[in-house]
Amino acid sequence: AENVAFVIVEVRGSDPLILEFSPGAEKIFGYSRTEAMGRPVSMLLSPEDRDKLDEVLFQMKKESRLSGFRTLMRKGQESFPAMYSIYPLLDETGGIYAALGVCIDITNQKRMEEELLHAKDAAEASARAKAEFTANVSHEMRTPLNAVIGMTDLLLESGLDPVKRDYVSTIRSSGLSLL
């Protein structure tokens, strides 16, 4: 897949070096295989993660896989979100000689997640505005409507002919249904 990178890193030295760099890694990171081979893996890490390599190497001795989310760096020092897994590669004695890193660029997923959050916020704001508008309109309608209903009660108590009494009754029942 084009958004999946495979990188094999030699881990015996103090600054782990890239031993293998897949076509997916070329696409994601922006380095050619030739540019990346033999260079420190730290060039792919965000500045705040570069000093955590020793910690990762220590964890690899205890676990068969490390995984999570990290911010990684492209060739132009552009950062991007990634989901990663690191697998230790063992030699014939069981010692770790290298690590296979697999990472997936999740920039598009993060962008969609942000768009969904903005859409959710907009929908909630719209719902709040609608509720506020409805409450205001309801309050503004209730007062004059009560006056109309009160006036129809007075008209019904007066001596209206049957046709007019029917009209006023219709007005009154319609007004009551609006409350």
Side-chain angles (χ1 to χ4, degrees):
E2 61 186 43
N3 68 337
V4 179
F6 298 95
V7 179
I8 295 179
V9 178
E10 179 273 323
V11 296
R12 290 188 175 146
S14 61
D15 195 4
L17 302 177
I18 297 172
L19 298 176
E20 191 53 64
F21 205 68
S22 73
E26 289 179 309
K27 185 166 178 65
I28 289 175
F29 291 104
Y31 292 99
S32 70
R33 184 174 183 275
T34 307
E35 289 175 298
M37 297 292 286
R39 302 242 339 251
V41 72
S42 59
M43 73 182 192
L44 307 177
L45 304 176
S46 65
E48 58 271 9
D49 284 342
R50 290 179 184 150
D51 60 346
K52 296 178 184 172
L53 282 172
D54 289 337
E55 179 184 322
V56 170
L57 295 173
F58 180 75
Q59 285 180 323
M60 277 187 1
K61 292 176 183 173
K62 297 188 301 182
E63 300 179 38
S64 62
R65 182 185 77 154
L66 303 174
S67 60
F69 297 91
R70 284 271 182 247
T71 299
L72 300 177
M73 302 297 288
R74 299 188 205 284
K75 184 176 183 178
Q77 297 305 302
E78 173 195 354
S79 63
F80 68 95
M83 182 172 60
Y84 74 92
S85 290
I86 301 172
Y87 302 89
L89 301 177
L90 308 177
D91 60 21
E92 58 279 347
T93 66
I96 300 173
Y97 74 92
L100 168 62
V102 180
C103 71
I104 300 173
D105 181 349
I106 58 172
T107 301
N108 290 336
Q109 291 88 333
K110 288 289 186 182
R111 189 177 302 122
M112 285 189 284
E113 188 177 294
E114 286 178 22
E115 289 172 5
L116 281 172
L117 286 174
H118 289 309
K120 176 183 169 266
D121 291 345
E124 288 173 349
S126 175
R128 283 191 301 274
K130 178 182 173 187
E132 187 176 313
F133 174 78
T134 302
N136 286 339
V137 167
S138 175
H139 174 73
E140 295 298 323
M141 293 286 294
R142 211 174 298 129
T143 303
L145 203 51
N146 278 325
V148 169
I149 293 168
M151 294 305 283
T152 58
D153 286 342
L154 291 175
L155 281 172
L156 288 172
E157 291 173 7
S158 68
L160 294 175
D161 65 64
V163 172
K164 289 179 182 171
R165 177 176 282 297
D166 186 47
Y167 292 159
V168 172
S169 291
T170 301
I171 292 170
R172 185 177 189 286
S173 65
S174 295
L176 288 172
S177 69
L178 288 174
L179 287 179

